């Protein structure tokens, strides 16, 4: 027993050895929560308080469940095979398999993954002759899943208008189809399991008596239905908590709740504390990952959130280095700095795989990937696709390829029915046979098709011909913008629940084209000898095929902040720290959105072990146009004494990076050249007594004649004389 508990610090030991009672463990980032959870199970079993089969432990990922089982096997001489340790979906599947008759399911019911569910919905819409453009399958799937995750069946769903009423009817039809076919989707696993326990008292009582200890990992990420399912098993569904029934041991961190968009309810932690009358809230605050300056900055940031349960991370590893803050002129300048710094770090002995470049939005990866590609630095996009491999980018490029070369059968096949335009598999097969007989491309064979297939494919051919004709004289970025609209891609993704990020990526493709033209300006100086569209397509293909590291190869890690949760690195760069980007514009439109963004920033900062970089740019390309940016308010919330500013951009973009190197090898300050009149810079944030906060977008004159143009947002653009305006820099 002493060996089991030997490596625990005092709060960890207190949590592991709690007597049988409900408890909430606030486990900060890097504080050893998995060790506590696993050791708690081992201690309960070792001391004879419960048998292995009296434990129910719930995790959020299969990886976490496997790690917990592996650690238990090393701690205890028991067979972990039959233990109820797993994800919500895995445990619900196990419950429904054991009681399939009571659940109204066949013994061999099948589980639909996301792709299977989408196919089932498409088939349903076709069978019911429902217009899938008016009721997009992905949007309908999101509608159904969101209701199931709230525990709402079609019969209880509210319909505010005719459109919603029809979606509710389709939800009911979908459920009926799944029941006939003996299949369940992921959301159904949990809802069906909850309903089974709710209505079947003998079965519920059986499991309540069996599971004497319920332990939950990452409790801050639970949604309402998951919490309701846990309360049923703990015997606390709507009743005041007593010491009867199972002991509930929840481990989580309200400061790391970043999945509201998936339905996670950070308020579940407060509800748990109240409904289970929890007296033992144990805080794990000693961090075993990061140096002190990183933790102190993260603590200062998260204190700005209201209603926290509260904790303060600390370490005995020392203060470490100051947090480096880089202010670039543009997003390209920022990316160049990040990549140059990453190469220097590798030369200094850091492993590439221990360097992470984080960003708020997937679209931001494009400019970073381009700089890595240019510099010849191997990289890996964690938990996602490289920019030019993303579905929406491939679709847009396929349209561009068809405009450039109508004989490109691969591009033709990709978009002939995307977005959907009623061209089915049989029509495609008929077209392929016609092309084979004529030894021609699919595009040229289209004229030989008759009937409905010929009409549908003919409409697509006319669309491509129109796109080609109407983009002849447009510059490359405008060709892409026009194509995204006229092809239907923009409208298609607007209708998707998760389509906003895909639209951001399509906008970034326009930026990529703009930057490409700037970088290759000399090549295109003589239009008669160049073809920007063909050159850009070749450039995209080359970047898509290069520098993504192979398996086992050392590579710089790229990922969104959401994807970084649970990971740690020696060096972390958090890029794009600008208002509207991080925190994201969407945060202003959602209840408590800014607080969730701040938690996301907290998660990002606490991924770093030894060195943390924060970077932002004064200008950033958006939809092919330069946008002037204000630094993120999160930067203002960090204590100045913990920061080391290593870059400051001039008012106009330098031809080469304008930073110099100081004696310590770090990037030093920019020279203050090209500042506007009065010492203010284009792109700088200012405050005006009447108009509020704004950003300088233009300047002219000098001395008493100096004036600046400021974008104040809602009040609009204003030209102000510096002698009288009394602008305060922010």
């Amino acid at each position: 027993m002493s060996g089991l508990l030997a490596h625990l610090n005092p709060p960890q030991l207190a949590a592991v050895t709690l007597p049988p009672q409900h408890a909430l463990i606030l486990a900060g980032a890097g504080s050893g929560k998995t060790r506590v959870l696993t050791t708690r199970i081992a201690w309960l079993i070792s001391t004879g308080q419960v048998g292995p089969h009296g434990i129910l432990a719930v995790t959020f990922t299969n990886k976490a469940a496997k790690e917990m089982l592996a650690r238990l096997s090393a701690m205890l001489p028991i067979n972990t095979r039959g233990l109820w340790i797993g994800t919500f979906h895995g445990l619900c599947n196990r419950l429904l398999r054991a009681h399939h008759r009571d659940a109204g399911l066949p013994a061999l019911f099948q589980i639909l993954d996301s792709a299977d569910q989408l196919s089932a919905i498409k088939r349903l819409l076709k069978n019911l002759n429902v217009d899938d453009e008016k009721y997009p399958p992905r949007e309908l799937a999101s509608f159904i899943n969101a209701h199931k995750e709230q525990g709402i069946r079609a019969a209880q769903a509210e319909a505010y208008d005719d459109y919603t009423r029809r979606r509710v009817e389709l939800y009911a039809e979908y459920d009926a189809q799944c029941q006939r076919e003996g299949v369940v989707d992921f959301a159904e696993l949990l809802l069906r399991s909850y309903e089974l326990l709710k209505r079947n008292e003998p079965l519920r009582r059986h499991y309540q008596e069996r599971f004497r200890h319920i332990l939950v990992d990452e409790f801050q990420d639970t949604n309402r239905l998951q919490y309701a399912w846990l309360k049923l098993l703990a015997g606390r569904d709507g009743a005041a908590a007593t010491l009867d029934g199972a002991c509930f041991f929840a481990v989580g961190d309200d400061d790391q709740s970043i999945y509201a968009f998936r339905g996670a309810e950070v308020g579940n932690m407060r509800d748990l504390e109240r409904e289970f009358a929890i007296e033992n809230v144990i805080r794990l605050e000693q961090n075993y990952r990061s140096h002190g300056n990183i933790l102190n900055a993260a603590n200062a940031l998260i204190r700005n959130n209201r209603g926290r349960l509260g904790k303060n991370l600390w370490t005995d590893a020392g203060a470490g280095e100051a947090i480096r803050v880089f202010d670039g002129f543009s997003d390209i300048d920022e990316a160049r700095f990040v990549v140059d710094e990453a190469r220097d770090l590798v030369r200094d002995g850091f492993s590439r795989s221990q360097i992470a470049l984080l960003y708020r939005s997937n679209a931001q990866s494009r400019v970073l990937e381009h700089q890595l590609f240019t510099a010849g630095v191997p990289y890996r996009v964690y938990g996602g696709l490289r920019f030019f491999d993303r579905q929406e980018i491939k679709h847009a490029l396929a349209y561009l390829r068809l405009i450039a070369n109508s004989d490109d059968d691969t591009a033709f096949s990709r978009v002939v029915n995307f977005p959907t335009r009623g061209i089915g598999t049989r029509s495609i097969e008929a077209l392929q046979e016609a092309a084979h007989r004529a030894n021609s491309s699919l595009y040229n064979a289209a004229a030989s098709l008759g009937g409905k297939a010929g009409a549908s494919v003919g409409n697509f051919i006319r669309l491509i011909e129109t796109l080609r004709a109407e983009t002849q004289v447009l510059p490359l970025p405008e060709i892409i913008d026009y194509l995204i609209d006229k092809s239907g891609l923009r409208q298609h993704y607007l209708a998707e629940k998760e389509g906003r990020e895909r639209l951001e990526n399509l906008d970034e493709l326009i930026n990529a084209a703009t930057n490409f033209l700037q970088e290759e300006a000399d090549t295109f100086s003589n239009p008669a000898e160049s073809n920007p569209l063909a050159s850009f397509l070749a450039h995209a293909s080359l970047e898509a095929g290069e520098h993504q590291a192979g398996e086992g190869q050392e590579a710089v890690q790229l990922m969104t902040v959401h994807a970084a949760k649970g990971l740690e690195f020696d060096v972390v760069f958090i890029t794009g720290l600008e208002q509207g980007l991080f925190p994201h514009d969407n945060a202003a439109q959602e209840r408590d959105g800014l607080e969730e963004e701040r938690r996301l920033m907290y998660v990002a900062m606490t991924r770093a072990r030894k060195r943390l970089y924060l970077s932002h740019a004064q200008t950033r390309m958006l939809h092919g146009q330069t946008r002037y940016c204000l630094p993120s308010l999160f930067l203002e919330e960090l204590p100045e004494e913990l920061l080391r500013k290593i870059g400051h951009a001039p008012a106009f973009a330098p031809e080469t990076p304008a930073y110099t190197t100081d004696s310590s090898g770090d990037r030093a300050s920019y020279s203050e050249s090209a500042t506007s009149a009065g010492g203010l810079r284009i792109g700088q944030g200012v405050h005006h007594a009447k108009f509020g906060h704004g950003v300088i977008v233009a300047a002219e004159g000098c001395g008493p004649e100096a004036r600046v143009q400021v974008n104040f947002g809602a009040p609009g653009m204003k030209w102000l004389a510096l002698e009288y305006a009394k602008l305060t820099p922010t």
Side-chain angles (χ1 to χ4, degrees), residues 225-272:
L225 184 58
Q226 288 164 341
Y227 182 39
W229 183 79
L230 290 166
K231 286 196 290 184
L232 271 182
L233 287 168
R236 292 292 177 276
D237 187 38
T242 67
L243 287 181
D244 299 332
C247 294
F248 202 105
F249 188 91
V251 180
D253 182 2
D254 55 331
D255 290 335
Q256 295 190 75
S257 179
I258 60 172
Y259 295 120
F261 67 96
R262 292 183 190 167
E265 289 276 358
V266 67
N268 283 350
M269 297 189 80
R270 285 284 186 192
D271 292 346
L272 174 75

Side-chain angles (χ1 to χ4, degrees), residues 614-635:
L614 310 177
S615 66
H616 61 100
Q618 294 185 15
T619 64
R620 188 170 293 274
M621 193 76 76
L622 183 68
H623 205 72
Q625 302 293 319
T626 298
R627 183 182 78 172
Y628 294 94
C629 308
L630 290 172
S632 169
L633 66 89
F634 296 150
L635 292 170

Side-chain angles (χ1 to χ4, degrees), residues 6 50 60 72 117 161 226 300 345 383 448 509 602 637 645 659 676 680:
V50 67
F60 267 82
L72 276 174
Q117 183 188 31
D161 51 35
Q226 288 164 341
L345 287 164
S448 65
L509 184 63
Y602 176 82
E637 296 176 350
K645 297 185 179 180
Y659 45 76
S676 66
L680 297 174

Side-chain angles (χ1 to χ4, degrees), residues 85 91 113-114 143 308 313-314 327 357 388 406 459 481 485 503 509 538 552 562 603 611 659 670-671:
I85 296 177
L91 295 173
D113 63 18
S114 300
F143 176 83
R308 297 171 59 232
L313 297 181
W314 63 276
D327 174 7
L357 315 186
F388 285 108
S406 59
N459 287 336
D481 194 13
D485 273 334
L503 288 171
L509 184 63
H562 280 102
V603 166
R611 190 180 288 192
Y659 45 76
Y670 278 85
S671 61

Side-chain angles (χ1 to χ4, degrees), residues 1-6 8 16-18 37-55 71-78 80 83 213:
M1 186 59 61
S2 60
L4 192 66
L5 306 177
L8 302 176
V16 165
T17 59
L18 274 173
L37 201 58
T38 310
T39 310
R40 170 72 173 173
I41 295 171
W43 184 77
L44 288 170
I45 295 171
S46 296
T47 54
Q49 297 182 60
V50 67
H53 297 289
I55 295 282
R71 290 194 188 192
L72 276 174
S73 294
M75 290 178 176
L76 296 174
I78 62 170
T80 60
L83 295 184
H213 289 269

Side-chain angles (χ1 to χ4, degrees), residues 396-556:
L397 291 175
Y399 277 105
L400 288 172
R401 285 163 56 185
L402 270 183
I403 289 173
N405 174 20
S406 59
D407 292 335
D408 188 333
D409 282 356
T410 302
F412 184 97
S413 299
R414 184 175 189 92
V415 294
V416 65
N417 196 39
F418 192 93
T420 54
R421 44 180 63 92
I423 302 174
T425 306
R426 289 183 182 177
S427 297
I428 300 298
E429 290 173 352
L431 181 60
Q432 289 170 337
E433 289 173 8
H436 181 70
R437 286 195 304 270
N439 193 27
S440 73
S441 66
L442 295 173
Y443 194 93
N444 291 331
S448 65
L449 281 186
K452 184 181 177 183
S456 299
V457 175
N459 287 336
F460 174 68
I461 298 296
R462 282 188 288 278
L463 169 66
I464 298 301
E465 294 291 347
T466 301
L467 289 173
R468 183 181 293 120
E470 294 184 354
T471 57
Q472 284 287 335
V473 297
L474 294 179
L476 180 60
E478 291 183 29
I479 291 175
I480 299 173
D481 194 13
Y482 182 85
L483 178 149
I484 291 168
D485 273 334
K486 296 300 181 182
S487 67
L489 287 176
R490 192 180 303 281
Q491 196 61 36
H492 173 80
Y493 290 121
L494 275 172
E496 281 193 1
K497 183 182 178 184
E498 305 297 333
R500 184 179 292 164
E501 188 171 281
R502 295 193 188 277
L503 288 171
E504 288 178 356
N505 285 333
L506 288 173
D507 282 344
E508 187 60 30
L509 184 63
I510 300 170
N511 298 343
T514 303
N515 291 334
F516 175 74
L517 291 182
Q518 292 171 351
E519 291 173 0
E520 303 294 329
D522 292 342
T523 305
F524 304 127
S525 57
N526 184 353
E529 298 178 4
S530 66
N531 186 324
L533 176 55
S535 298
F536 178 69
L537 289 170
H539 160 80
S541 297
L542 289 171
E543 283 215 12
E546 294 289 335
H547 292 292
Q548 175 82 340
E551 202 61 41
Q553 184 183 358
E554 282 279 301
V556 172

